[in-house]
Amino acid sequence: MTIKDTAEEWEIRASETPFAGKKTSVRAEDVVMPNGAVVRRDYQVHPGSVAVVALDDQDRVLVIRQYRHPVRQRLWEVPAGLLDIQGENPLHAAQRELYEEAHVKAEDWRVLTDVYTTPGGSDEAVRIFLARDLSAADGQRFEVEDEEADMELARVPLDDLVRGVLAGDLHNTCLVVGVLSLLAARSTGGLDTLRPAEAPWPARPFEA
């Protein structure tokens, strides 16, 4: 048996958007179930995101600490951000986020994994990259605002992050999935066998 997610779309009888925000919206749809019943499903419509596990030559991961109002916590996270432009190349977006949030650039980029964050309630898709061969970015630092103006930046050993995830001390989706995927990649073929940075992404198609 092949273990692989597959594309499928059930019949939709009605669709409306009761709320539209600056970046996301809420869609309500009447979906026909296999038994013929019609059920309403509400979900967040999301442009998609990218995240970066930036690994330095001392086996440390670059992380940021940021306040997240919906969960009322300051979370340790990896650099991440929205795909602000439809069809935007996710690699370019990831490079932008690493520069803006950490003022760092990387020479080696690979795809760690692609995930749907909460497929029962949102269509958000995230591509998580591995970035290596890090160095300071050129030019002035990007001017941040709002929650980002209060961010902390650190480089933490990968093993410490893994322990924090398994201990229940770290909760950010992209950090958890990213560091565990990095650990798994090392034990199943090595990092150089990861997909190239420009690998196709059916969830958010883009132009190379």
Side-chain angles (χ1 to χ4, degrees):
M1 182 175 62
T2 301
I3 304 299
K4 182 178 180 179
D5 297 335
T6 56
E8 185 171 340
E9 185 170 354
W10 294 357
E11 180 185 353
I12 299 170
R13 292 281 177 84
S15 180
E16 60 181 350
T17 304
F19 169 80
K22 182 178 179 181
K23 297 292 185 181
T24 67
S25 60
V26 173
R27 185 170 296 160
E29 295 183 328
D30 293 338
V31 184
V32 180
M33 299 290 108
N35 64 359
V38 179
V39 178
R40 166 113 338 172
R41 290 290 178 257
D42 303 325
Y43 62 96
Q44 179 193 36
V45 179
H46 195 285
S49 307
V50 292
V52 184
V53 177
L55 185 69
D56 70 14
D57 56 7
Q58 298 181 50
D59 212 39
R60 300 176 302 177
V61 175
L62 193 155
V63 291
I64 57 177
R65 189 168 180 245
Q66 184 173 348
Y67 176 67
R68 293 300 189 182
H69 185 69
V71 296
R72 308 302 199 268
Q73 290 196 33
R74 288 173 64 93
L75 300 179
W76 284 104
E77 309 178 350
V78 295
L82 298 175
L83 291 169
D84 293 322
I85 304 170
Q86 185 174 4
E88 181 178 18
N89 187 311
L91 173 60
H92 299 166
Q95 291 169 332
R96 180 187 67 235
E97 293 301 329
L98 185 60
Y99 163 73
E100 291 182 356
E101 296 191 352
H103 200 65
V104 166
K105 62 181 180 179
E107 298 301 323
D108 187 279
W109 290 83
R110 311 240 175 195
V111 175
L112 262 179
T113 190
D114 300 321
V115 296
Y116 291 114
T117 55
T118 50
S122 173
D123 71 350
E124 181 183 10
V126 182
R127 168 156 282 188
I128 303 177
F129 290 91
L130 172 66
R132 293 181 291 174
D133 194 5
L134 310 181
S135 61
D138 301 325
Q140 295 182 338
R141 294 189 67 91
F142 181 80
E143 186 174 345
V144 296
E145 58 184 12
D146 301 328
E147 292 94 340
E148 293 182 350
D150 193 44
M151 289 192 309
E152 299 176 45
L153 182 66
R155 296 193 183 204
V156 179
L158 175 62
D159 288 345
D160 290 352
L161 293 176
V162 171
R163 281 191 288 269
V165 168
L166 298 179
D169 295 330
L170 300 171
H171 307 91
N172 174 262
T173 301
C174 293
L175 185 149
V176 171
V177 174
V179 300
L180 295 184
S181 295
L182 173 55
L183 192 67
R186 281 183 165 173
S187 64
T188 56
L191 302 184
D192 290 336
T193 65
L194 290 168
R195 285 175 292 162
E198 299 275 9
W201 188 18
R204 293 294 184 274
F206 63 92
E207 294 183 8

